[in-house]
Amino acid sequence: MVPVNTHAVPDPGSWFRVENSSAASSVRRAAERLGGQLGLHPDRVAELAIVAAEMTSNLVKHAEEGLLLLRPVRDGDHAGVELVAIDSGPGMTDLTVSSRDGHSTTGTLGIGLGAISRQASWYDAWSWPGKGTVLAVQVWPKAAPVRPAWAAGLTRPISGEQVSGDGHAVRVAEGRHQVLVCDGLGHGALAGAAADTALAAFRTAPAAPPATVVQHLHRAMTHTRGAALAVAELDPSAGVLRYAGLGNITGVVLGAADERRGLVSLPGIAGHQRPSVREYDYAFPPEATLVMHSDGVVDRWRIGDYPGLTGRSPLVLAATLLRDAGVRRDDACVLAARTPA
């Protein structure tokens, strides 16, 4: 279960391409450094190093096009480290078997996934032959609470840039469970500044319906180059999803039997002129999943191509779609959410 902050604007983190042992060493050292900066106990930092070493070793030995995201995560007064390993093959038929100590596909000891599961506070994974594997891990202080996840997302900058103009955030404001995905116009620092303004305004927005929140973000962004954005609110008591968007943010509700329903965003740019904002309500039963993404993610993915993925955590679902549908010629962001417990 993934800890989720009451008002969470995630650190975008650092992406590493892991193709050889030197890259794996760089990830391990970066994880140790981040754990120390966050105040993890030295023993916990040592366990974090084991997790990082095993995850990167798996990418070097088994994976194609291995990437790893390293970032801090926070929950109240607690801070931890999150690692998300992504590859494009060969994938595994049965992760349960592959995580048993002694199981190996390359003649090694086969203790990697087992060691990761023992040291981690939380982990989740999805894999399929021919598609690859996504493994998400969090390492928290031993005393930190682990609470159910209901939403998670990832961003990745355009190739050649360190700053992403896309962003996402999650908050619970006076009982309202809301998420934001935004896409600052263009790329680079100015797009990133627009996205950062949207994220900060979302964090302090009134506890109001999505359309009101979008209007608040628009007013806060008038000094920026603007952004496409959408706000969704999940209401478990009513079984309803409320949605308001401006510009080309894709919103989709996934239902049973691979059912997919698109959500309506109106034309416009938050921060520019006076946009028309309208809120739409959609049925959102307990088994439904919300997916939102920027236009840096090609909207041709089919959830039916990923057996069992809707049963995994929002973080693993979002990471899988980012891997397969994200494009390198644009910033990319994917967020997934489910009915809050």
Side-chain angles (χ1 to χ4, degrees):
M1 296 180 181
V2 184
V4 176
N5 296 346
T6 301
H7 293 82
V9 178
D11 188 305
S14 300
W15 287 95
F16 297 83
R17 185 171 295 280
V18 183
E19 298 175 333
N20 52 51
S21 58
S22 63
S25 297
S26 297
V27 173
R28 178 181 55 77
R29 290 193 297 269
E32 290 176 317
R33 186 164 56 250
L34 179 57
Q37 292 170 348
L38 294 174
L40 292 182
H41 188 278
D43 290 346
R44 200 66 177 129
V45 173
E47 292 167 344
L48 170 62
I50 293 173
V51 170
E54 294 295 349
M55 291 179 74
T56 53
S57 176
N58 284 340
L59 290 176
V60 172
K61 294 175 182 176
H62 306 288
E64 300 172 9
E65 302 178 14
L67 293 171
L68 186 138
L69 173 65
L70 174 69
R71 63 184 178 182
V73 284
R74 292 178 173 83
D75 184 17
D77 295 332
H78 298 285
V81 176
E82 182 172 85
L83 305 96
V84 183
I86 299 172
D87 69 67
S88 298
M92 293 173 275
T93 304
D94 191 333
L95 273 171
T96 303
V97 171
S98 299
S99 64
R100 294 173 185 164
D101 288 351
H103 177 82
S104 173
T105 59
T106 62
T108 61
L109 292 177
I111 61 174
L113 291 178
I116 290 168
S117 65
R118 285 192 296 274
Q119 307 300 336
S121 305
W122 170 89
Y123 84 104
D124 189 31
W126 181 85
S127 187
W128 197 257
K131 286 190 174 294
T133 301
V134 171
L135 173 63
V137 176
Q138 292 182 344
V139 177
W140 292 83
K142 291 291 189 181
V146 180
R147 294 186 282 189
W150 64 275
L154 304 91
T155 60
R156 188 181 66 198
I158 188 174
S159 294
E161 284 282 358
Q162 297 298 314
V163 176
S164 175
D166 289 0
H168 63 91
V170 178
R171 74 172 192 162
V172 182
E174 298 181 13
R176 293 181 178 272
H177 293 76
Q178 296 180 335
V179 296
L180 163 72
V181 169
C182 61
D183 179 356
L185 296 188
H187 310 293
L190 292 179
D196 288 345
T197 298
L199 298 177
F202 181 71
R203 186 170 61 247
T204 59
T212 302
V213 174
V214 169
Q215 291 282 14
H216 174 84
L217 301 185
H218 163 68
R219 292 190 295 270
M221 298 178 67
T222 54
H223 66 288
T224 74
R225 62 167 51 181
L229 57 81
V231 174
E233 177 177 300
L234 283 67
D235 185 345
S237 62
V240 169
L241 181 143
R242 303 180 180 95
Y243 190 85
L246 291 173
N248 54 352
I249 300 297
T250 295
V252 174
V253 172
L254 303 176
D258 301 335
E259 177 188 5
R260 170 173 167 154
R261 180 172 187 179
L263 310 181
V264 175
S265 283
L266 298 181
I269 301 171
H272 284 209
Q273 300 176 347
R274 182 178 177 85
S276 175
V277 179
R278 182 176 174 183
E279 185 172 306
Y280 297 86
D281 291 358
Y282 302 89
F284 199 79
E287 68 274 12
T289 300
L290 168 68
V291 175
M292 297 168 63
H293 61 74
S294 67
D295 66 352
V297 176
V298 179
D299 190 27
R300 291 197 296 267
W301 53 270
R302 294 176 60 255
I303 200 64
D305 293 337
Y306 301 89
L309 183 58
T310 54
R312 309 319 306 167
S313 64
L315 178 58
V316 166
L317 193 159
T320 303
L321 295 181
L322 181 66
R323 177 196 67 188
D324 290 355
V327 299
R328 294 293 182 180
R329 62 182 182 277
D330 198 356
D331 300 324
C333 174
V334 183
L335 177 142
R338 299 216 178 89
T339 299

